Amino acid sequence: MDFSRVELADDDRAFFDEARSFLATHVTDEVRRRDRETGDNFDEGVHLALGAAGYLEKEWKPSSDGGFSRVQRRIWELEKRRVHVPWVTWGTTSMVARSVEKFGKPELVADVMPKVFSGHVRLCLGYTEPEGGSDIATCKTRAVRDGDSWVINGSKMFTTGAHKCQYVFLITNTDPEARKHKSLTMFLVPLDLPGIEIQGIRTVDGDRTNIVYYSDVRVDDKYRLGDVNGGWTVLREPLNVEHGAVAAAPDGLQDNSIMMHQAGFMATALDKAVVRLAQPDPNGHRPIDDKSVAYRLGRSFARIEAALSASSIFGRVANAQTMRDISPELMDLHGAAAALPFGADGAADDGSAEYSYRFAPLVGIYGGTLEVFRNMIAQHVLGLGKPSYAPPAAKVS
């Protein structure tokens, strides 16, 4: 089997050089530092530059409609990941934009989509509620029809990027008497409407997300996506993308699963651990010469490679669980200096293992908890029954 470097065609090589040069110009150390400090996972200057250069539109569209070729798309994805482009808000925007284009009224599509491509409009996800857990179909946020508009009341948790976005892809309940999957209606709600309040929340890894309150927010019906009470149909496609439950591309030019971006931080932390543990101390001793250290590093490499090779929702579970397992191992191998964060004097590895350790619990929650995905695998792949959480029935004497 030949594992040599892929030989690129001349136009793909030119694109590779162009992409690397563009990203080196715009994704600077200052951008990465600021992103760590704010936890926004978004940089407006970078995003607008991507839009002005046409990259957002080319990334979103298929090659048949003027988008990247398959090889160029793969080059672009890998180069963005290599330089750690702040990406989360574009990720949510590109998911939601597909439902806007498919289910939005023509005037809404004509207004929103060009601004999405220029970078001036960003879209976030309004799914989870403070007491709703992972089952977003139990939505309590109400939308009540009032003539040609709707009045919305409720709140949403973990609306990441809301403070940097112009619209939220909002799931609402429009028929409390109906079954939960038949009571939902989706809206693309402008975030500058009266009655909307955005409050920031910091997660343990330093990222910023938001809780958003909706108090008598009046939304014109033109912002409704799809049919009334037909929101589950509108929601299903972006939800499948977020879950990673999408078919593999026949050419293999895609990530095996979602969470590969996050797994990249884990792989970087391991690479830095190897470099540091292979350095000799003043007495010429290298920690890696200790067989137990070498074994633990080797085991970590094997687990990461297995996780990165797993596909679809299997890979989503494997990447998140491996990140939880590997990051404390790396911190232990580094010693006390591993507790120092990025930018701190004396940090063992520029804070890579420490960041991975704090990031790991969140990776197991994004888009649904690991327990939800394990249940999905059990039911829909292995054919097992639904779990029963009811207390055991009392024995009849």
Side-chain angles (χ1 to χ4, degrees):
M1 187 174 291
D2 183 6
F3 288 100
S4 61
R5 181 183 286 269
V6 173
E7 291 295 330
L8 297 175
D10 289 344
D11 56 341
D12 292 329
R13 167 57 64 181
F15 174 74
F16 174 86
D17 294 337
E18 170 197 313
R20 180 162 285 195
S21 175
F22 178 91
L23 293 172
T25 298
H26 293 282
V27 187
T28 61
D29 288 340
E30 173 60 20
V31 166
R32 287 185 283 266
R33 182 196 63 77
R34 188 166 59 243
D35 189 48
R36 282 287 188 104
E37 289 181 353
T38 64
D40 284 342
N41 282 307
F42 175 76
D43 186 277
E44 187 168 41
V46 172
H47 194 71
L48 291 175
L50 290 168
Y55 289 129
L56 298 181
E57 186 170 8
K58 288 181 179 179
E59 183 175 336
W60 194 85
K61 289 184 175 181
S63 58
S64 60
D65 193 25
F68 290 138
S69 71
R70 291 292 294 163
V71 172
Q72 289 174 352
R73 182 175 303 278
R74 188 57 178 163
I75 291 171
W76 181 244
E77 290 169 349
L78 293 174
E79 285 303 300
K80 284 202 307 176
R81 187 175 301 156
R82 184 183 63 82
V83 298
H84 297 300
V85 174
W87 66 280
V88 169
T89 300
W90 172 240
T92 58
T93 298
S94 59
M95 279 194 292
V96 173
R98 301 202 181 279
S99 286
V100 173
E101 185 184 58
K102 186 173 182 179
F103 296 102
K105 296 174 176 62
E107 60 270 27
L108 181 64
V109 174
D111 181 46
V112 169
M113 293 305 296
K115 297 173 186 175
V116 164
F117 295 145
S118 72
H120 290 88
V121 160
R122 283 88 63 178
L123 317 172
C124 56
L125 308 178
Y127 294 169
T128 306
E129 297 188 347
E131 298 180 2
S134 294
D135 187 0
I136 62 174
T138 60
C139 171
K140 298 294 190 296
T141 294
R142 290 281 282 119
V144 179
R145 189 86 185 235
D146 184 17
D148 292 331
S149 61
W150 297 79
V151 178
I152 297 176
N153 284 280
S155 58
K156 298 290 182 178
M157 284 287 289
F158 307 126
T159 308
T160 300
H163 61 302
K164 296 291 186 180
C165 290
Q166 287 66 47
Y167 295 91
V168 58
F169 186 57
L170 188 70
I171 182 172
T172 69
N173 188 316
T174 46
D175 188 355
E177 303 303 318
R179 291 187 296 131
K180 66 179 183 179
H181 289 90
K182 301 295 184 180
S183 64
L184 308 173
T185 303
M186 297 300 301
F187 294 88
L188 191 72
V189 177
L191 283 166
D192 61 355
L193 292 177
I196 295 179
E197 180 185 356
I198 301 170
Q199 292 185 4
I201 301 171
R202 281 280 189 155
T203 58
V204 68
D205 68 322
D207 283 353
R208 170 171 172 160
T209 186
N210 302 284
I211 182 169
V212 182
Y213 298 96
Y214 302 86
S215 302
D216 292 328
V217 178
R218 187 169 291 274
V219 179
D220 193 282
D221 189 59
K222 73 178 182 180
Y223 293 107
R224 174 169 52 85
L225 301 175
D227 296 332
V228 175
N229 297 331
W232 195 251
T233 299
V234 180
L235 180 64
R236 191 159 46 205
E237 184 174 336
L239 200 61
N240 283 341
V241 171
E242 189 177 15
H243 285 170
V246 293
D251 59 15
L253 290 172
Q254 69 176 37
D255 287 336
N256 288 338
S257 70
I258 61 170
M259 299 298 167
M260 298 294 275
H261 173 88
Q262 290 86 345
F265 287 99
M266 171 175 63
T268 296
L270 181 55
D271 288 343
K272 289 187 175 183
V274 171
V275 170
R276 181 171 183 267
L277 296 172
Q279 298 300 314
D281 64 17
N283 297 319
H285 173 262
R286 303 188 312 161
I288 202 171
D289 292 331
D290 185 316
K291 291 183 179 180
S292 66
V293 172
Y295 169 78
R296 293 168 73 183
L297 287 173
R299 181 176 60 183
S300 296
F301 266 106
R303 295 194 63 178
I304 287 178
E305 289 299 325
L308 295 176
S309 300
S311 63
S312 187
I313 56 175
F314 304 97
R316 187 262 180 272
V317 172
N319 282 324
Q321 187 61 57
T322 301
M323 196 168 183
R324 291 182 175 189
D325 295 339
I326 295 301
S327 52
E329 182 95 83
L330 297 181
M331 291 189 71
D332 187 56
L333 289 169
H334 282 303
L340 296 173
F342 174 79
D345 291 339
D349 56 351
D350 295 330
S352 292
E354 187 268 348
Y355 179 68
S356 182
Y357 180 80
R358 287 187 289 112
F359 198 17
L362 282 301
V363 175
I365 295 173
Y366 293 145
T369 65
L370 287 179
E371 288 73 19
V372 167
F373 284 102
R374 286 175 171 134
N375 282 341
M376 290 170 61
I377 291 170
Q379 293 172 48
H380 303 300
V381 180
L382 302 180
L384 303 179
K386 291 184 177 181
S388 174
Y389 300 108
K395 292 184 178 180
V396 178
S397 56

PDB file of all heavy atoms in Angstrom, residues 24-50:
ATOM      1  N   ALA A  24      -2.446  32.413   6.178  1.00  0.00           N
ATOM      2  CA  ALA A  24      -1.300  32.926   6.940  1.00  0.00           C
ATOM      3  C   ALA A  24      -1.394  34.444   7.114  1.00  0.00           C
ATOM      4  O   ALA A  24      -0.977  34.996   8.144  1.00  0.00           O
ATOM      5  CB  ALA A  24       0.000  32.557   6.231  1.00  0.00           C
ATOM      6  N   THR A  25      -1.967  35.120   6.124  1.00  0.00           N
ATOM      7  CA  THR A  25      -2.107  36.572   6.191  1.00  0.00           C
ATOM      8  C   THR A  25      -3.170  36.988   7.208  1.00  0.00           C
ATOM      9  O   THR A  25      -2.994  37.955   7.952  1.00  0.00           O
ATOM     10  CB  THR A  25      -2.468  37.134   4.803  1.00  0.00           C
ATOM     11  OG1 THR A  25      -1.420  36.837   3.884  1.00  0.00           O
ATOM     12  CG2 THR A  25      -2.685  38.642   4.858  1.00  0.00           C
ATOM     13  N   HIS A  26      -4.281  36.253   7.243  1.00  0.00           N
ATOM     14  CA  HIS A  26      -5.443  36.701   8.023  1.00  0.00           C
ATOM     15  C   HIS A  26      -5.580  36.012   9.386  1.00  0.00           C
ATOM     16  O   HIS A  26      -6.095  36.637  10.320  1.00  0.00           O
ATOM     17  CB  HIS A  26      -6.712  36.503   7.206  1.00  0.00           C
ATOM     18  CG  HIS A  26      -6.789  37.379   6.001  1.00  0.00           C
ATOM     19  ND1 HIS A  26      -7.140  38.706   6.061  1.00  0.00           N
ATOM     20  CD2 HIS A  26      -6.530  37.112   4.688  1.00  0.00           C
ATOM     21  CE1 HIS A  26      -7.103  39.226   4.850  1.00  0.00           C
ATOM     22  NE2 HIS A  26      -6.736  38.285   3.992  1.00  0.00           N
ATOM     23  N   VAL A  27      -5.165  34.769   9.506  1.00  0.00           N
ATOM     24  CA  VAL A  27      -5.289  34.060  10.788  1.00  0.00           C
ATOM     25  C   VAL A  27      -3.941  34.151  11.496  1.00  0.00           C
ATOM     26  O   VAL A  27      -3.102  33.245  11.439  1.00  0.00           O
ATOM     27  CB  VAL A  27      -5.728  32.599  10.586  1.00  0.00           C
ATOM     28  CG1 VAL A  27      -6.010  31.942  11.940  1.00  0.00           C
ATOM     29  CG2 VAL A  27      -6.968  32.529   9.710  1.00  0.00           C
ATOM     30  N   THR A  28      -3.730  35.259  12.167  1.00  0.00           N
ATOM     31  CA  THR A  28      -2.452  35.574  12.792  1.00  0.00           C
ATOM     32  C   THR A  28      -2.410  35.063  14.229  1.00  0.00           C
ATOM     33  O   THR A  28      -3.418  34.618  14.792  1.00  0.00           O
ATOM     34  CB  THR A  28      -2.239  37.086  12.794  1.00  0.00           C
ATOM     35  OG1 THR A  28      -3.306  37.689  13.567  1.00  0.00           O
ATOM     36  CG2 THR A  28      -2.278  37.642  11.370  1.00  0.00           C
ATOM     37  N   ASP A  29      -1.239  35.147  14.842  1.00  0.00           N
ATOM     38  CA  ASP A  29      -1.115  34.807  16.261  1.00  0.00           C
ATOM     39  C   ASP A  29      -2.024  35.690  17.108  1.00  0.00           C
ATOM     40  O   ASP A  29      -2.580  35.237  18.115  1.00  0.00           O
ATOM     41  CB  ASP A  29       0.342  34.960  16.713  1.00  0.00           C
ATOM     42  CG  ASP A  29       1.245  33.876  16.167  1.00  0.00           C
ATOM     43  OD1 ASP A  29       0.724  32.818  15.761  1.00  0.00           O
ATOM     44  OD2 ASP A  29       2.473  34.091  16.144  1.00  0.00           O
ATOM     45  N   GLU A  30      -2.179  36.930  16.709  1.00  0.00           N
ATOM     46  CA  GLU A  30      -3.064  37.843  17.438  1.00  0.00           C
ATOM     47  C   GLU A  30      -4.522  37.370  17.365  1.00  0.00           C
ATOM     48  O   GLU A  30      -5.256  37.431  18.361  1.00  0.00           O
ATOM     49  CB  GLU A  30      -2.945  39.251  16.863  1.00  0.00           C
ATOM     50  CG  GLU A  30      -3.935  40.264  17.424  1.00  0.00           C
ATOM     51  CD  GLU A  30      -3.811  40.470  18.927  1.00  0.00           C
ATOM     52  OE1 GLU A  30      -2.745  40.147  19.506  1.00  0.00           O
ATOM     53  OE2 GLU A  30      -4.783  40.956  19.541  1.00  0.00           O
ATOM     54  N   VAL A  31      -4.947  36.884  16.199  1.00  0.00           N
ATOM     55  CA  VAL A  31      -6.307  36.353  16.059  1.00  0.00           C
ATOM     56  C   VAL A  31      -6.503  35.149  16.968  1.00  0.00           C
ATOM     57  O   VAL A  31      -7.516  35.042  17.680  1.00  0.00           O
ATOM     58  CB  VAL A  31      -6.586  35.962  14.592  1.00  0.00           C
ATOM     59  CG1 VAL A  31      -7.854  35.100  14.478  1.00  0.00           C
ATOM     60  CG2 VAL A  31      -6.723  37.212  13.730  1.00  0.00           C
ATOM     61  N   ARG A  32      -5.520  34.253  16.974  1.00  0.00           N
ATOM     62  CA  ARG A  32      -5.646  33.058  17.819  1.00  0.00           C
ATOM     63  C   ARG A  32      -5.607  33.420  19.295  1.00  0.00           C
ATOM     64  O   ARG A  32      -6.340  32.830  20.116  1.00  0.00           O
ATOM     65  CB  ARG A  32      -4.543  32.050  17.473  1.00  0.00           C
ATOM     66  CG  ARG A  32      -4.777  31.344  16.136  1.00  0.00           C
ATOM     67  CD  ARG A  32      -3.730  30.280  15.885  1.00  0.00           C
ATOM     68  NE  ARG A  32      -2.473  30.873  15.466  1.00  0.00           N
ATOM     69  CZ  ARG A  32      -2.113  31.049  14.193  1.00  0.00           C
ATOM     70  NH1 ARG A  32      -2.930  30.697  13.220  1.00  0.00           N
ATOM     71  NH2 ARG A  32      -0.943  31.588  13.877  1.00  0.00           N
ATOM     72  N   ARG A  33      -4.774  34.379  19.673  1.00  0.00           N
ATOM     73  CA  ARG A  33      -4.721  34.814  21.069  1.00  0.00           C
ATOM     74  C   ARG A  33      -6.051  35.419  21.495  1.00  0.00           C
ATOM     75  O   ARG A  33      -6.587  35.107  22.561  1.00  0.00           O
ATOM     76  CB  ARG A  33      -3.600  35.840  21.252  1.00  0.00           C
ATOM     77  CG  ARG A  33      -3.443  36.324  22.705  1.00  0.00           C
ATOM     78  CD  ARG A  33      -2.615  37.602  22.788  1.00  0.00           C
ATOM     79  NE  ARG A  33      -3.259  38.701  22.087  1.00  0.00           N
ATOM     80  CZ  ARG A  33      -4.288  39.386  22.565  1.00  0.00           C
ATOM     81  NH1 ARG A  33      -4.826  39.075  23.742  1.00  0.00           N
ATOM     82  NH2 ARG A  33      -4.818  40.374  21.861  1.00  0.00           N
ATOM     83  N   ARG A  34      -6.579  36.289  20.650  1.00  0.00           N
ATOM     84  CA  ARG A  34      -7.853  36.937  20.966  1.00  0.00           C
ATOM     85  C   ARG A  34      -8.982  35.910  21.068  1.00  0.00           C
ATOM     86  O   ARG A  34      -9.867  36.024  21.919  1.00  0.00           O
ATOM     87  CB  ARG A  34      -8.156  37.989  19.900  1.00  0.00           C
ATOM     88  CG  ARG A  34      -9.359  38.865  20.215  1.00  0.00           C
ATOM     89  CD  ARG A  34      -9.392  40.093  19.317  1.00  0.00           C
ATOM     90  NE  ARG A  34      -9.440  39.755  17.900  1.00  0.00           N
ATOM     91  CZ  ARG A  34      -8.486  40.083  17.036  1.00  0.00           C
ATOM     92  NH1 ARG A  34      -7.398  40.735  17.434  1.00  0.00           N
ATOM     93  NH2 ARG A  34      -8.607  39.757  15.759  1.00  0.00           N
ATOM     94  N   ASP A  35      -8.933  34.900  20.217  1.00  0.00           N
ATOM     95  CA  ASP A  35      -9.973  33.871  20.251  1.00  0.00           C
ATOM     96  C   ASP A  35      -9.916  33.081  21.551  1.00  0.00           C
ATOM     97  O   ASP A  35     -10.957  32.750  22.132  1.00  0.00           O
ATOM     98  CB  ASP A  35      -9.814  32.931  19.050  1.00  0.00           C
ATOM     99  CG  ASP A  35     -10.979  31.985  18.909  1.00  0.00           C
ATOM    100  OD1 ASP A  35     -12.141  32.441  18.979  1.00  0.00           O
ATOM    101  OD2 ASP A  35     -10.749  30.777  18.744  1.00  0.00           O
ATOM    102  N   ARG A  36      -8.705  32.779  22.020  1.00  0.00           N
ATOM    103  CA  ARG A  36      -8.559  32.092  23.308  1.00  0.00           C
ATOM    104  C   ARG A  36      -9.108  32.961  24.434  1.00  0.00           C
ATOM    105  O   ARG A  36      -9.750  32.460  25.356  1.00  0.00           O
ATOM    106  CB  ARG A  36      -7.084  31.770  23.582  1.00  0.00           C
ATOM    107  CG  ARG A  36      -6.528  30.569  22.829  1.00  0.00           C
ATOM    108  CD  ARG A  36      -7.053  29.260  23.398  1.00  0.00           C
ATOM    109  NE  ARG A  36      -6.386  28.112  22.820  1.00  0.00           N
ATOM    110  CZ  ARG A  36      -5.461  27.390  23.419  1.00  0.00           C
ATOM    111  NH1 ARG A  36      -5.066  27.726  24.633  1.00  0.00           N
ATOM    112  NH2 ARG A  36      -4.920  26.354  22.821  1.00  0.00           N
ATOM    113  N   GLU A  37      -8.838  34.256  24.374  1.00  0.00           N
ATOM    114  CA  GLU A  37      -9.257  35.150  25.454  1.00  0.00           C
ATOM    115  C   GLU A  37     -10.769  35.355  25.482  1.00  0.00           C
ATOM    116  O   GLU A  37     -11.383  35.371  26.545  1.00  0.00           O
ATOM    117  CB  GLU A  37      -8.553  36.500  25.313  1.00  0.00           C
ATOM    118  CG  GLU A  37      -7.065  36.453  25.630  1.00  0.00           C
ATOM    119  CD  GLU A  37      -6.400  37.810  25.507  1.00  0.00           C
ATOM    120  OE1 GLU A  37      -7.079  38.771  25.052  1.00  0.00           O
ATOM    121  OE2 GLU A  37      -5.218  37.924  25.865  1.00  0.00           O
ATOM    122  N   THR A  38     -11.376  35.528  24.311  1.00  0.00           N
ATOM    123  CA  THR A  38     -12.812  35.791  24.270  1.00  0.00           C
ATOM    124  C   THR A  38     -13.641  34.528  24.347  1.00  0.00           C
ATOM    125  O   THR A  38     -14.780  34.547  24.823  1.00  0.00           O
ATOM    126  CB  THR A  38     -13.189  36.535  22.976  1.00  0.00           C
ATOM    127  OG1 THR A  38     -12.913  35.691  21.842  1.00  0.00           O
ATOM    128  CG2 THR A  38     -12.415  37.841  22.852  1.00  0.00           C
ATOM    129  N   GLY A  39     -13.100  33.421  23.850  1.00  0.00           N
ATOM    130  CA  GLY A  39     -13.876  32.187  23.777  1.00  0.00           C
ATOM    131  C   GLY A  39     -14.965  32.232  22.735  1.00  0.00           C
ATOM    132  O   GLY A  39     -15.868  31.376  22.726  1.00  0.00           O
ATOM    133  N   ASP A  40     -14.899  33.192  21.803  1.00  0.00           N
ATOM    134  CA  ASP A  40     -15.973  33.369  20.827  1.00  0.00           C
ATOM    135  C   ASP A  40     -15.975  32.317  19.723  1.00  0.00           C
ATOM    136  O   ASP A  40     -17.015  32.069  19.098  1.00  0.00           O
ATOM    137  CB  ASP A  40     -15.875  34.748  20.170  1.00  0.00           C
ATOM    138  CG  ASP A  40     -16.350  35.868  21.075  1.00  0.00           C
ATOM    139  OD1 ASP A  40     -17.056  35.579  22.060  1.00  0.00           O
ATOM    140  OD2 ASP A  40     -16.008  37.040  20.802  1.00  0.00           O
ATOM    141  N   ASN A  41     -14.819  31.722  19.440  1.00  0.00           N
ATOM    142  CA  ASN A  41     -14.703  30.836  18.285  1.00  0.00           C
ATOM    143  C   ASN A  41     -15.155  31.535  17.002  1.00  0.00           C
ATOM    144  O   ASN A  41     -15.735  30.916  16.109  1.00  0.00           O
ATOM    145  CB  ASN A  41     -15.500  29.541  18.495  1.00  0.00           C
ATOM    146  CG  ASN A  41     -14.783  28.571  19.400  1.00  0.00           C
ATOM    147  OD1 ASN A  41     -13.629  28.245  19.167  1.00  0.00           O
ATOM    148  ND2 ASN A  41     -15.458  28.122  20.453  1.00  0.00           N
ATOM    149  N   PHE A  42     -14.897  32.828  16.951  1.00  0.00           N
ATOM    150  CA  PHE A  42     -15.281  33.626  15.786  1.00  0.00           C
ATOM    151  C   PHE A  42     -14.450  34.891  15.774  1.00  0.00           C
ATOM    152  O   PHE A  42     -14.207  35.499  16.824  1.00  0.00           O
ATOM    153  CB  PHE A  42     -16.770  33.984  15.855  1.00  0.00           C
ATOM    154  CG  PHE A  42     -17.219  34.904  14.746  1.00  0.00           C
ATOM    155  CD1 PHE A  42     -17.420  34.424  13.475  1.00  0.00           C
ATOM    156  CD2 PHE A  42     -17.428  36.257  14.987  1.00  0.00           C
ATOM    157  CE1 PHE A  42     -17.820  35.271  12.445  1.00  0.00           C
ATOM    158  CE2 PHE A  42     -17.824  37.115  13.968  1.00  0.00           C
ATOM    159  CZ  PHE A  42     -18.028  36.609  12.700  1.00  0.00           C
ATOM    160  N   ASP A  43     -14.023  35.295  14.585  1.00  0.00           N
ATOM    161  CA  ASP A  43     -13.317  36.558  14.412  1.00  0.00           C
ATOM    162  C   ASP A  43     -13.931  37.263  13.204  1.00  0.00           C
ATOM    163  O   ASP A  43     -13.856  36.766  12.072  1.00  0.00           O
ATOM    164  CB  ASP A  43     -11.821  36.325  14.189  1.00  0.00           C
ATOM    165  CG  ASP A  43     -11.036  37.623  14.153  1.00  0.00           C
ATOM    166  OD1 ASP A  43     -11.006  38.253  13.066  1.00  0.00           O
ATOM    167  OD2 ASP A  43     -10.477  38.011  15.190  1.00  0.00           O
ATOM    168  N   GLU A  44     -14.549  38.407  13.451  1.00  0.00           N
ATOM    169  CA  GLU A  44     -15.289  39.073  12.381  1.00  0.00           C
ATOM    170  C   GLU A  44     -14.372  39.511  11.244  1.00  0.00           C
ATOM    171  O   GLU A  44     -14.740  39.404  10.065  1.00  0.00           O
ATOM    172  CB  GLU A  44     -16.054  40.274  12.923  1.00  0.00           C
ATOM    173  CG  GLU A  44     -16.969  40.902  11.873  1.00  0.00           C
ATOM    174  CD  GLU A  44     -17.937  41.900  12.464  1.00  0.00           C
ATOM    175  OE1 GLU A  44     -17.519  42.678  13.349  1.00  0.00           O
ATOM    176  OE2 GLU A  44     -19.107  41.904  12.040  1.00  0.00           O
ATOM    177  N   GLY A  45     -13.176  39.993  11.565  1.00  0.00           N
ATOM    178  CA  GLY A  45     -12.258  40.415  10.526  1.00  0.00           C
ATOM    179  C   GLY A  45     -11.884  39.274   9.593  1.00  0.00           C
ATOM    180  O   GLY A  45     -11.895  39.424   8.361  1.00  0.00           O
ATOM    181  N   VAL A  46     -11.575  38.128  10.167  1.00  0.00           N
ATOM    182  CA  VAL A  46     -11.246  36.950   9.363  1.00  0.00           C
ATOM    183  C   VAL A  46     -12.459  36.532   8.539  1.00  0.00           C
ATOM    184  O   VAL A  46     -12.353  36.216   7.347  1.00  0.00           O
ATOM    185  CB  VAL A  46     -10.772  35.799  10.263  1.00  0.00           C
ATOM    186  CG1 VAL A  46     -10.615  34.507   9.453  1.00  0.00           C
ATOM    187  CG2 VAL A  46      -9.451  36.156  10.928  1.00  0.00           C
ATOM    188  N   HIS A  47     -13.628  36.515   9.185  1.00  0.00           N
ATOM    189  CA  HIS A  47     -14.841  36.055   8.511  1.00  0.00           C
ATOM    190  C   HIS A  47     -15.187  36.944   7.320  1.00  0.00           C
ATOM    191  O   HIS A  47     -15.520  36.446   6.228  1.00  0.00           O
ATOM    192  CB  HIS A  47     -15.995  36.026   9.506  1.00  0.00           C
ATOM    193  CG  HIS A  47     -17.194  35.269   9.013  1.00  0.00           C
ATOM    194  ND1 HIS A  47     -17.215  33.900   8.889  1.00  0.00           N
ATOM    195  CD2 HIS A  47     -18.417  35.711   8.592  1.00  0.00           C
ATOM    196  CE1 HIS A  47     -18.388  33.508   8.432  1.00  0.00           C
ATOM    197  NE2 HIS A  47     -19.137  34.591   8.247  1.00  0.00           N
ATOM    198  N   LEU A  48     -15.104  38.251   7.494  1.00  0.00           N
ATOM    199  CA  LEU A  48     -15.403  39.160   6.395  1.00  0.00           C
ATOM    200  C   LEU A  48     -14.374  39.036   5.274  1.00  0.00           C
ATOM    201  O   LEU A  48     -14.716  39.158   4.087  1.00  0.00           O
ATOM    202  CB  LEU A  48     -15.463  40.595   6.906  1.00  0.00           C
ATOM    203  CG  LEU A  48     -16.649  40.914   7.828  1.00  0.00           C
ATOM    204  CD1 LEU A  48     -16.527  42.339   8.372  1.00  0.00           C
ATOM    205  CD2 LEU A  48     -17.979  40.737   7.103  1.00  0.00           C
ATOM    206  N   ALA A  49     -13.130  38.783   5.644  1.00  0.00           N
ATOM    207  CA  ALA A  49     -12.105  38.574   4.617  1.00  0.00           C
ATOM    208  C   ALA A  49     -12.389  37.308   3.817  1.00  0.00           C
ATOM    209  O   ALA A  49     -12.221  37.276   2.588  1.00  0.00           O
ATOM    210  CB  ALA A  49     -10.722  38.497   5.268  1.00  0.00           C
ATOM    211  N   LEU A  50     -12.833  36.258   4.499  1.00  0.00           N
ATOM    212  CA  LEU A  50     -13.207  35.021   3.809  1.00  0.00           C
ATOM    213  C   LEU A  50     -14.364  35.270   2.849  1.00  0.00           C
ATOM    214  O   LEU A  50     -14.386  34.747   1.723  1.00  0.00           O
ATOM    215  CB  LEU A  50     -13.600  33.956   4.824  1.00  0.00           C
ATOM    216  CG  LEU A  50     -12.481  33.374   5.682  1.00  0.00           C
ATOM    217  CD1 LEU A  50     -13.051  32.559   6.835  1.00  0.00           C
ATOM    218  CD2 LEU A  50     -11.537  32.513   4.852  1.00  0.00           C
TER     219      LEU A  50
END
